[in-house]
Amino acid sequence: MKRELAQWLVCPITGERLSLVIDREVEGEIIEGELAVVGGRRYPITGGVPRMLAAELIDSGQQETGDAFSEKWRRAKDFGHEEKSRSFYVDWYLERYRFGTIDALKDFLSSKTRILDAGTGNGRDSRLYAENSNAEVFGVDLSASIESAYNHLKSVPNIHLIQADLTRLPFPRGFFDFIACDQVLHHTRDTEESFHKLAATLASGGYLSIYVYRRKAPIRELADDYLRSVVAEMSEEQAWELSEQLAELGRVLSDLNTTITLPDIPALGIKAGSYDVQRFIYWHMLKCYWNPSLSVGDSVITNFDWYRPRYAHRHTADEVRKWFADAGLEIAVFHECDAGISVRGRKS
């Protein structure tokens, strides 16, 4: 933790300012210490990370979801940082939010001073924002993945990493001029409620961008719910083994290299057209992710990411548009694809 972070943090429960006690500092990084409200709550700093959680306020489903992501990033600590997966996800990010190029992203970020990466995981997006702006970037995550993020990014001068709940952020209202919550909100107990809590920390004129899962075809929705309930009773190893099996199913189907042509079947959410067999089953029947341009492990982790978390809500375009309208955010970018919905809106 960098010393200057203490001046911005507040108690996530009361909003009060915090006092800083340093027990160990190494080369400008506070490794051990404490942040505390006078006569009130105390938040430890361990391993260089301030732990700003009110554990008693986290429900069991959210805890299970956090544990799933702790396990994910323990197994894939370099995912999104090594060149192959990083290039893939940066390109996908630029496409979904309609930047197109890194230069366009830099131009957008050039006026930003405080950026929140809500649900940073192992810090992939925090790194993207820090490398392409002069802003202070704050990466927050509920899970132990924040430790992987810290190990990757502790030497980056404009990145600050905090273990916290994005629904109870340790920052004042209106603090950020850009909030990014990519592929995270749907993993909270209530996506809409969490969206509005994020919006409360956005400054007037600031931007909020989100990506949430899109509701899929009905049989795929049923299969997803069934498998998620089965995986909830599995050990981590069993869930990982299932994720490997699903990746292998996806690979075998992909290797068929066969297309089918179908009529409109509205009751099943199927539109007329020609489909690759693997893609058809993937979007309409069962998630069995396989991407030959990534490593086998990257495909496995994507299946694990989908089925292991207890919370993984899916939404419609109309629902998402309503959230932005209700929060007084004017939509600047709206991109919907089979997988999800990416939106960026500005607070008036």
Side-chain angles (χ1 to χ4, degrees), residues 111-336:
S111 61
K112 308 301 181 285
T113 58
R114 293 171 178 171
I115 296 172
L116 173 64
D117 179 17
T120 191
N122 70 349
R124 181 188 69 225
D125 287 354
S126 287
R127 176 182 168 187
L128 177 66
Y129 304 136
E131 289 179 344
N132 292 286
S133 78
N134 294 315
E136 301 292 338
V137 178
F138 301 84
V140 168
D141 205 281
L142 176 75
S143 78
S145 66
I146 199 70
E147 293 160 15
S148 175
Y150 182 77
N151 288 332
H152 280 291
L153 303 172
K154 60 186 175 184
S155 63
V156 181
N158 59 330
I159 288 183
H160 309 277
L161 297 164
I162 307 103
Q163 188 173 25
D165 181 348
L166 66 80
T167 68
R168 295 181 177 87
L169 287 167
F171 298 99
R173 292 177 68 89
F175 184 77
F176 299 102
D177 48 18
F178 178 43
I179 297 174
C181 190
D182 195 59
Q183 306 174 68
V184 177
L185 276 178
H186 44 237
H187 290 307
T188 63
R189 182 184 62 81
D190 185 314
T191 312
E192 182 178 4
E193 179 183 43
S194 300
F195 172 87
H196 286 291
K197 288 184 176 180
L198 276 184
T201 61
L202 186 65
S204 181
Y207 285 84
L208 170 59
S209 73
I210 66 168
Y211 170 97
V212 293
Y213 293 142
R214 178 180 176 272
R215 190 171 297 165
K216 309 298 190 295
I219 292 179
R220 166 73 193 269
E221 287 287 323
L222 289 169
D224 283 346
D225 286 342
Y226 168 73
L227 266 181
R228 188 166 287 106
S229 69
V230 170
V231 171
E233 304 303 319
M234 291 181 170
S235 67
E236 297 293 350
E237 287 301 325
Q238 289 171 326
W240 189 259
E241 184 178 356
L242 173 60
S243 301
E244 292 175 328
Q245 294 164 353
L246 291 170
E248 177 63 8
L249 172 60
R251 185 194 67 77
V252 170
L253 292 171
S254 181
D255 286 350
L256 292 175
N257 197 27
T258 300
T259 60
I260 54 176
T261 301
L262 298 171
D264 271 322
I265 312 177
L268 297 180
I270 297 170
K271 295 180 180 179
S274 295
Y275 296 88
D276 172 84
V277 167
Q278 192 271 337
R279 292 284 85 188
F280 174 76
I281 291 175
Y282 180 87
W283 291 123
H284 298 90
M285 304 293 173
L286 175 71
K287 185 180 179 86
C288 47
Y289 186 84
W290 172 255
N291 188 331
S293 67
L294 297 174
S295 71
V296 174
D298 291 345
S299 291
V300 174
I301 203 70
T302 302
N303 289 313
F304 184 90
D305 176 282
W306 180 256
Y307 285 115
R308 187 56 172 173
R310 177 60 65 100
Y311 294 144
H313 309 297
R314 286 84 70 192
H315 300 281
T316 67
D318 287 344
E319 286 176 321
V320 176
R321 289 184 188 277
K322 184 176 185 300
W323 302 343
F324 276 79
D326 290 347
L329 295 169
E330 181 182 358
I331 291 175
V333 171
F334 194 98
H335 177 252
E336 183 178 8

Side-chain angles (χ1 to χ4, degrees), residues 29-41:
E29 281 285 314
I30 301 169
I31 307 302
E32 306 292 334
E34 183 180 76
L35 291 156
V37 176
V38 176
R41 289 178 176 269

